[in-house]
């Protein structure tokens, strides 16, 4: 296949998905919040609302802005060309720091070989950027700048983004009713400032994962004093999947709210697939480099070497991967601790390293070369996601010796990484019953010196395959409340198969609602505004607004329309759940209206002698029915 | 339509559903655990498992018994005839107590009128039982017997049922790995005894809702020292639904695990529908009598009277309703507390009573006649479910003055009910952010003297219409862990429309998994056995067992088969998530096998000099691939 043909194929395959995966959310438009620099423009999605119609007149409801992860795909003004990739919006910031240099080409052996390989030419992304790297002796991580007291444009961007137009929401009264959070020692400010962001990154409590070779990404932050983030995994395994399909999953994920994505592909053409993904990703991209390294040695763990792994790190760092899962905590002495487990080792990376350690009877090369790894990461600003290779894969194995031995090691490694100013987050479980969840968070904060925690669930029970997005959302909401900074989603297909597009949507929305529940509980200053706006719409029978303010307007509308499809029903003061006679909200309005008409609030009304009013209410017919001609 | 024709219609309509809604669970059979009396036979579903095949040989896995709510519908030996209703298995127990008498017919005015009404003859259940009532001056509640020190057959039944064949599970080693619970002051025993059950009922900490006119029901218990229960609501509203459809929803609910059901119908023919439901319900049935009372006064709240309400209570008690939601805590002085709320009053019963109180400027007739209500309830053993008419309908309104004022009143009423030996549970919210959930439980236990709490969710955020089974499962799992005894399910259609059959299944399975997560966290002595059995099956690649031990075997299998449909794939040592190369469980088995072959456990192995073994492992080819010819 010629390159032209391949490009055309990708474009054709993606044109259809474009129309679908980037279809606008109802009543929504893209807005940008302007920072101090003209090129700091933070995207939000603004949802137009209809007015409140009451007996006292009509009152406008200003449009509601929401955090938006969809990048240029959510902006109808931006023309998307997947073959060229997204605009490099951070390129100027990176260049102006003057601490990096453009290379002439990939410096990894594998990268060079693949750049010229004819057998993959038809799959190759054509508009590869020249990779950049730190100048000799320079460290180019956000942590490095933060510790030097520098506020980068990325940090300013993040501060604006985290505030979520809080001032507007407050001015509209949407935060008047706001419950204080219970933050378990977290320290969420009432307003995010660039200086607060800088300080959190400098302290290692938060990371801003933005590889200098991924200038297409929009800055976001992962830390327990910020909005809880979610990650979506995709990538093919034994089942082949075209590059276009993977790119589609990426766009689909950011549409529904994924803050980062991980490309976990293990099949052929990982290198080429990744290039397409990174060039088109508006969010940070994570990988597990060990998977590709294993492919390079034909799937035989004992054949893995530091040299192959090292080359893979450089290859991927120069493509622009923003964080690497590295299972450097799976040490030789910990492996025997897993043999009596109910479910052994359930992490792919963990089991590969365990097999390597046993086969060689040697300490893990990841552990032994950890400082070498740091040297690579700091030259591109790739963040560590220190993998929990010994996480429990069942309720029975939760919080066991192996798990916590590894966690302690991850803490040691965190310290080493921080000596190099490399950003770190820590991966966590897994399967944990509720009464043992908090211990995971507490131990992580202690062992890893407040480095951000990034957990998979945890699943609060093992007994519901097919529903593990829910068993895990129960655990995820709790651990995020206790302090987890980012949640890795779980789809309904967990333990059973590969998620399809619907599963990805189901998993992301489930995790977004869990993350939001945690934001409410911790007391994120902007969180409750959306609940308040949606509930106000619900109480005022503004059906469309209720749908549109939700995380998945399309599904809400579809479910409503399943029983009451007519347009008039979206103005009706009842729904099919209770019907017009029994609508408590309708009656509740009558009660409130009754009080308002008398020009008294109800409390005064009671004291002023309610009997008289009771007569008036009866005279109005104690209207409980809605006289709706459509019913 | 003639009666014969109507009966034939119901039978035809239900024959199809019978085949579908009662289709056997895979690899399952009905067993009965025998009590001390021959007529105490407690049903369980026993799941056959396949053997563990290891290099050391083959080992059988005994069948696994699970709690079963499906009643006779889960027993293929029982011939179901919906037109005749279920067998009256408790009739003998009720009769032999000698404290009740058979009436000659319904004693409510409405019941008598409906018994002879020609216009509903075609809908009427033909095999109505003669209602029973306590003999003059007798109290026939389980609480009354418990307080007199009597252990009823119902209590023995419940003790056996709660143990869930614990001794068998323990003997099989399925409870060897068991985490201690964190019970927040609850007192779960290591074994349930009839005396323990009696004591809990006597103290009011648990209820055993079994109306003497519902002898078809299988005893179950609701209390925080027992397995967490779930309730499924159904019933039609403005949308008409045939009686057969309601009966189908009942059977469908008990199939998936509903411990009780509530018939919330508000349409025509409530009386007739209810008769069909109760006669065919193997689980306790709850209702909100106010809904029917309101229908009797044509939907005008102000026209409600104590007399109409009283007659409705008697009518429903004589049909066999096991618990009544009574909103007697919505008192006149509390109504003004709701006018500044974001979502006012969201309980149907609460808003009806608020409208009545305002219209008459009078204290609620439910509150004023509470002792009269107790007199009725004790003559049939109907339990109170004291309704939370002022529960919060949004995050903003959580834990407010109105809510807690009502809760305190419910506590006062609990005391009064207990003076009459009437069983009581307390309904709870609603919409509550996570950090405010525990306060709900703590306040309930204090205000209501440890009476069982029965909550709707709570939803931990308002922003995900279409996913409210999940937003609420997050709150439900937590509040059940803190002590809620029964969870009222929420379906994906909450706030949007009436649930269909699929929604009911989704809601029930979601709530069953949330309840189970809470059982694990509280430390129910039998809970973890199922997680352990399922995880063992998962680790041993016993795919069918993994599906079958789950809450929804059909969905698990369907999801698995979506990517790997062939039969051989259900014996494969991998799944489509990671494929054969990257299966951590496979590698983990190699690691374990490696240790076993050397006749050492891994810990010794390490010390004994792992180098030698490392050589052996390499010699075996460090098998990580599975050589699967199908792949």
């Amino acid at each position: 296949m010629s390159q032209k043909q391949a490009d055309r194929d990708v474009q054709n395959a993606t044109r259809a998905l474009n129309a679908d995966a980037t279809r606008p959310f109802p009543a929504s438009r893209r807005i940008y919040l302007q920072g101090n620099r003209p090129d700091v423009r933070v995207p939000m999605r603004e949802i137009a609302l209809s007015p409140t119609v009451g007996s006292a007149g009509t009152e406008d409801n200003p449009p509601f802005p929401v955090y938006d992860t969809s990048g240029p795909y959510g902006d109808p003004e931006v023309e998307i060309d997947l073959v060229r990739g997204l605009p490099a919006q951070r390129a100027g910031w990176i260049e102006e720091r003057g601490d990096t240099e453009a290379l002439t080409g990939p410096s990894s052996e594998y990268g060079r070989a693949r750049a010229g390989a004819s057998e993959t030419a038809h799959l190759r992304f054509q508009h590869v950027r020249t990779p950049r790297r730190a100048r000799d002796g320079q460290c180019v991580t956000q942590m490095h700048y933060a510790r030097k007291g520098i506020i980068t444009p990325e940090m300013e961007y993040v501060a604006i983004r985290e505030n979520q137009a809080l001032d507007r929401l407050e001015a509209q009264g949407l935060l008047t009713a706001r419950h204080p959070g219970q933050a378990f020692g977290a320290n969420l400010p009432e307003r995010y400032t660039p200086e607060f962001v800088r300080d959190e990154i400098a302290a290692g409590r938060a990371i801003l994962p933005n590889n200098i070779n991924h200038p297409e990404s929009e800055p976001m932050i992962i830390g327990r004093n910020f909005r809880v983030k979610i990650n979506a995994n995709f990538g093919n395994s034994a089942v082949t999947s075209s590059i276009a399909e993977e790119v589609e999953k990426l766009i689909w994920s950011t549409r529904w709210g994924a803050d980062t994505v991980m490309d976990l592909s293990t099949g052929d053409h990982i290198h080429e697939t990744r290039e397409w993904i990174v060039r088109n990703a508006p969010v940070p991209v994570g990988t597990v480099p060990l998977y590709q390294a294993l492919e390079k040695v034909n799937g035989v763990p004992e054949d893995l070497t530091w040299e192959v792994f090292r080359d893979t790190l450089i290859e991927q760092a120069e493509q622009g991967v923003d964080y690497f899962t590295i299972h450097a905590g799976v040490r030789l002495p910990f492996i025997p601790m897993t043999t009596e487990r109910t479910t052994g080792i359930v992490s792919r990376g963990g089991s590969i390293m365990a097999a390597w350690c046993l086969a060689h009877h040697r300490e893990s090369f990841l552990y032994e070369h950890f400082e070498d790894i740091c040297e690579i990461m700091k030259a591109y600003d790739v963040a560590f996601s220190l993998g929990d290779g010994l996480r429990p894969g069942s309720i029975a194995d939760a919080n066991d010796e192996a798990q916590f031995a590894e966690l302690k090691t991850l803490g040691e490694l965190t310290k080493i990484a921080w000596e190099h100013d490399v950003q770190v987050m820590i991966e966590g479980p897994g399967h944990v019953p509720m009464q043992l969840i908090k211990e995971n968070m507490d131990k992580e904060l202690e062992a890893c010196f407040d480095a951000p925690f990034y957990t998979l669930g945890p699943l609060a029970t093992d007994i519901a395959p097919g529903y593990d997005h829910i068993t895990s959302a129960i655990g995820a909401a709790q651990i995020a409340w206790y302090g987890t900074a980012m949640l890795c989603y779980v789809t309904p297909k967990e333990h059973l198969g590969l998620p399809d597009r619907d599963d990805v949507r189901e998993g992301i929305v489930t995790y977004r609602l869990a993350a939001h529940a945690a934001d409410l509980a911790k007391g994120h200053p902007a969180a409750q505004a959306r609940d308040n706006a949606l509930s106000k719409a619900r109480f005022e029978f503004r059906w469309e607004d209720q749908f549109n303010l939700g995380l998945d307007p399309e599904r809400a509308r579809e479910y409503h329309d399943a029983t009451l499809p007519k347009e008039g029903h979206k103005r009706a003061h009842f729904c099919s759940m209770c019907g017009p006679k029994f609508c408590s909200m309708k009656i509740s309005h009558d009660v409130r209206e009754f009080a308002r008409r008398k020009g008294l609030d109800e409390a005064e009304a009671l004291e002023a002698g309610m009997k008289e009013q009771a007569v008036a209410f009866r005279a109005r017919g104690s209207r409980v029915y809605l006289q709706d001609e459509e019913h």
Side-chain angles (χ1 to χ4, degrees), chain A:
Chain A
M1 196 170 3
S2 75
Q3 181 57 41
K4 267 228 171 95
Q5 178 60 40
D7 278 9
R8 224 172 302 128
D9 278 1
V10 173
Q11 276 194 314
N12 286 340
T14 50
R15 197 154 293 142
L17 84 87
N18 245 323
D20 187 30
T22 67
R23 62 186 183 266
F25 278 90
S28 293
R29 68 178 191 116
R30 167 58 60 86
I31 59 165
Y32 291 92
L33 306 184
Q34 185 62 56
N36 281 322
R37 301 168 49 124
D39 58 354
V40 170
R41 295 172 69 236
V42 180
M44 296 193 85
R45 177 164 64 89
E46 199 180 63
I47 304 164
L49 302 178
S50 51
T52 298
V53 182
S55 52
T58 293
E59 199 177 307
D60 278 343
N61 290 293
F64 191 94
V66 295
Y67 196 105
D68 191 352
T69 57
S70 67
Y73 304 110
D75 186 346
E77 306 285 301
V78 177
E79 204 186 319
I80 302 294
D81 180 353
L82 299 170
V83 172
R84 300 200 73 89
L86 296 178
Q89 50 174 309
R90 295 195 306 118
W93 306 345
I94 295 160
E95 214 159 330
E96 74 185 25
R97 288 194 274 261
D99 50 3
T100 58
E101 60 191 0
L103 304 175
T104 52
S107 47
S108 67
E109 264 178 53
Y110 193 85
R112 280 197 301 272
R114 274 313 179 73
S118 58
E119 72 275 19
T120 50
H122 64 290
L123 298 171
R124 202 173 299 139
F125 188 84
Q126 284 306 294
H127 304 277
V128 177
R129 293 178 192 287
T130 317
R132 301 190 77 86
R133 190 174 59 195
R135 289 181 194 278
D136 258 3
Q138 301 282 338
C139 175
V140 300
T141 70
Q142 293 287 324
M143 185 180 219
H144 183 71
Y145 307 135
R147 286 176 163 184
K148 282 177 37 184
I150 298 167
I151 291 173
T152 61
E154 286 90 340
M155 297 174 199
E156 188 196 352
Y157 189 108
V158 156
I160 296 168
R161 200 169 196 186
E162 287 290 319
N163 281 325
Q164 295 172 64
L166 178 49
D167 290 325
R168 255 175 74 173
L169 301 172
E170 210 165 63
Q172 291 165 28
L174 285 172
L175 284 162
T176 315
R178 185 185 147 206
H179 299 290
Q182 178 184 356
F184 296 107
N187 169 34
L188 289 89
E190 280 301 298
R191 286 291 181 284
Y192 290 96
T193 62
E195 172 54 25
F196 182 86
V197 172
R198 187 204 61 72
D199 191 55
E200 291 289 300
I201 295 170
R205 282 191 298 267
I207 68 171
L208 200 164
N210 274 149
N211 186 326
I212 56 169
N213 288 312
H214 187 197
E216 301 90 347
S217 73
E218 295 177 344
M220 52 78 71
I221 195 160
I222 302 167
R224 77 169 164 141
N225 295 325
F226 298 91
R227 181 172 183 270
V228 176
K229 304 302 186 296
I230 64 170
N231 171 70
N233 292 333
F234 50 81
N236 55 348
S237 63
V239 184
T240 33
S241 126
S242 78
I243 288 174
E245 272 176 311
E246 294 309 303
V247 174
E248 176 177 15
K249 283 185 206 156
L250 157 73
I251 298 173
W252 188 243
S253 297
T254 61
R255 168 185 178 77
W256 293 107
D259 294 286
T260 76
V261 296
M262 289 192 78
D263 173 13
L264 301 184
S265 294
T266 53
D268 291 334
H269 313 307
I270 307 188
H271 178 90
E272 289 71 22
T273 305
R274 187 186 311 118
E275 190 70 36
W276 280 94
I277 287 175
V278 176
R279 296 287 74 80
N280 287 293
V283 297
V285 177
T287 62
V288 187
L290 195 63
Y291 296 171
Q292 191 185 3
L294 188 66
E295 295 282 1
K296 290 177 182 173
V297 295
N298 303 310
V300 183
E302 68 165 341
D303 290 349
L304 282 167
T305 63
W306 160 243
E307 288 69 30
V308 167
F309 189 78
R310 182 181 170 280
D311 198 65
T312 306
L313 292 183
I314 295 169
E315 170 203 343
Q316 297 198 11
E318 293 187 353
Q319 284 186 300
V321 174
D322 301 283
Y323 62 89
F324 288 153
T325 294
I326 309 256
H327 296 91
V330 180
R331 296 190 53 194
L332 179 63
F334 303 157
I335 299 164
M337 297 174 186
T338 66
T339 55
E340 294 305 308
R341 278 179 157 186
T342 297
T343 46
I345 300 174
V346 297
S347 145
R348 290 193 227 171
S351 62
I352 294 165
M353 288 313 298
W356 188 91
C357 291
L358 280 187
H360 293 277
H361 184 236
R362 273 191 56 184
E363 187 53 274
S364 153
F365 63 84
L366 298 175
Y367 183 78
E368 292 195 331
H369 284 279
F370 194 74
E371 298 233 28
D372 299 322
I373 299 174
C374 291
E375 292 293 344
I376 297 166
M377 312 277 271
K378 73 208 263 187
Y380 305 95
D381 199 7
V382 183
F384 276 111
S385 185
L386 290 175
D388 56 337
L390 303 182
R391 68 171 173 268
S394 56
I395 291 295
D397 295 343
N399 295 26
D400 73 352
E401 187 193 13
Q403 189 197 333
F404 287 140
E406 181 187 35
L407 182 62
K408 223 179 135 199
T409 304
L410 299 185
E412 290 166 30
L413 299 173
T414 299
K415 276 220 155 159
I416 295 170
W418 285 353
E419 281 163 21
H420 293 267
D421 289 350
V422 177
Q423 307 190 87
V424 179
M425 62 181 168
I426 308 291
E427 295 186 9
H431 291 240
V432 185
M434 287 192 287
Q435 81 275 30
L436 301 185
I437 290 177
K438 190 151 188 302
E439 186 183 17
N440 277 276
M441 190 69 232
D442 293 345
K443 279 212 155 76
E444 190 275 340
L445 289 172
E446 194 197 329
C448 302
F449 316 100
D450 288 358
F453 207 21
Y454 168 29
T455 63
L456 180 79
L459 285 71
T461 167
D462 303 340
I463 70 166
Y467 297 79
D468 279 333
H469 58 310
I470 306 178
T471 63
S472 68
I474 288 171
Q478 282 177 52
I479 205 163
W481 174 22
Y482 303 148
T484 286
M486 184 156 79
L487 301 169
C488 182
Y489 85 165
V490 170
T491 78
K493 291 271 174 66
E494 183 75 16
H495 298 118
L496 299 169
L498 272 185
D500 61 20
R501 236 176 70 147
D502 286 340
D503 298 318
V504 167
R505 171 177 169 183
E506 187 86 17
I508 291 177
V509 176
T510 299
Y511 269 66
R512 190 90 296 294
L513 71 86
H516 184 78
D519 282 332
L520 285 177
K522 291 202 303 187
H524 187 293
Q528 205 184 314
R530 191 164 177 178
D531 297 79
N532 293 351
L534 189 144
S535 287
K536 183 168 186 280
R538 181 174 281 158
F539 191 62
E540 292 170 357
F541 298 99
R542 290 185 278 121
W543 287 99
E544 299 280 2
D545 292 352
Q546 184 192 159
F547 306 153
N548 295 344
L549 284 163
L551 293 178
D552 188 343
E554 294 165 5
R555 178 170 296 181
R557 169 189 282 269
E558 177 197 321
Y559 283 2
H560 176 270
D561 290 2
T563 31
L564 294 174
K566 284 189 269 179
E567 271 315 298
H569 289 143
K570 288 184 205 74
R571 294 187 302 272
H573 279 205
F574 61 90
C575 73
S576 65
M577 287 190 79
C578 306
K581 270 193 220 178
F582 282 90
C583 181
S584 59
M585 292 216 182
K586 174 75 186 72
I587 300 173
S588 199
H589 275 282
D590 288 343
V591 166
R592 186 183 284 193
E593 176 62 9
F594 172 52
R596 200 195 57 75
R597 286 213 185 174
K598 297 305 266 190
L600 296 166
D601 71 46
E602 287 289 295
E604 288 178 71
L606 251 186
E607 285 160 52
M610 292 217 16
K611 245 184 191 137
E612 174 205 348
Q613 297 178 49
V615 174
F617 187 62
R618 266 205 303 277
R620 284 180 44 235
S622 308
R623 282 265 298 283
V624 170
Y625 281 75
L626 180 78
Q627 307 304 333
D628 191 286
E629 61 293 344
E630 302 202 349
H631 224 80

